[in-house]
Amino acid sequence: KKYIDAKVVFRNLYPPRVAQMSGELNILNSYGWEESSFPLEYVNSFNENLDGITVMSHYVKEVLSQAGVKRPIEVVGLGVEHILEVKPKEVELNTTKGFKFLHISSCFPRKGVDILLQAYIEQFTNLDDVTLIIKTFPNPHNRIEDEVKRIKQDSNSPEIILINQELSDGEIAWLYKNSNALVAPSRGEGF
């Protein structure tokens, strides 16, 4: 809010609007970037308006630094490391298949799920001892349910398990620990 005196102002938004921040210390928080170059407009705005930036990964820090951002940049990650300490809670998968591929994402187009599904059905059939577990959530920007239904119409298609609901941290930990391979075919990721 414009007229509140604040010692520290954090912003986390895209596009990164950092002008007119009113804190004594102005920070862009948990910033992510997917590309190898960075717009000069952003570089100049960051250098003029920010006191520091926290970023998701060393990659993002490197891109910003190489582009000419002179403000302090610290890698803070994404705050997901806690999953390593969570007690796993079993998820009922209803499968007899031995090898489990796991994909967890929003299934938005940039996540590359279309490429994943195409490669999976080209490589495997229902006779193979594999299953692809896709964990997502219902949203208007993914069509994963329709796509999986279309694939399953072919009786020769390999097994796909779609989890389209919220799971607890324990259930997510269980999926990670009980899968053989994580598949992340994203077209771009800031992390």
Side-chain angles (χ1 to χ4, degrees), residues 121-175:
I121 63 175
E122 285 178 9
Q123 186 63 41
F124 301 108
T125 72
N126 64 340
L127 300 176
D128 292 302
D129 191 26
V130 300
T131 190
L132 171 60
I133 303 161
I134 299 174
K135 165 58 184 97
T136 190
F137 56 91
N139 64 78
H141 302 289
N142 85 37
R143 304 282 181 244
I144 190 67
E145 266 189 82
D146 294 337
E147 192 60 23
V148 169
K149 282 179 188 174
R150 183 190 64 76
I151 290 168
K152 287 183 174 184
Q153 288 175 353
D154 178 353
S155 61
N156 194 38
S157 67
E159 183 177 84
I160 300 172
I161 297 172
L162 179 62
I163 302 171
N164 199 5
Q165 64 191 40
E166 291 296 319
L167 295 180
S168 68
D169 286 350
E171 290 167 317
I172 295 292
W174 188 90
L175 286 174

Side-chain angles (χ1 to χ4, degrees), residues 47-94:
N47 286 335
E48 291 171 15
N49 297 292
L50 293 174
D51 298 298
I53 305 162
T54 65
V55 296
M56 297 177 179
S57 67
H58 292 282
Y59 172 79
V60 177
K61 180 177 181 175
E62 182 179 318
V63 169
L64 297 183
S65 296
Q66 288 180 353
V69 174
K70 302 296 183 203
R71 297 300 182 201
I73 303 170
E74 292 295 327
V75 177
V76 296
L78 288 172
V80 296
E81 296 84 359
H82 72 283
I83 200 77
L84 299 173
E85 305 302 322
V86 171
K87 182 180 177 190
K89 180 181 177 190
E90 186 172 355
V91 176
E92 182 59 50
L93 295 177
N94 296 318

Side-chain angles (χ1 to χ4, degrees), residues 1 3-4 24 52 76 92 108 124 178 180 188:
K1 297 181 180 180
Y3 302 104
I4 294 177
E24 291 179 27
V76 296
E92 182 59 50
F108 292 174
F124 301 108
N178 287 278
N180 301 90

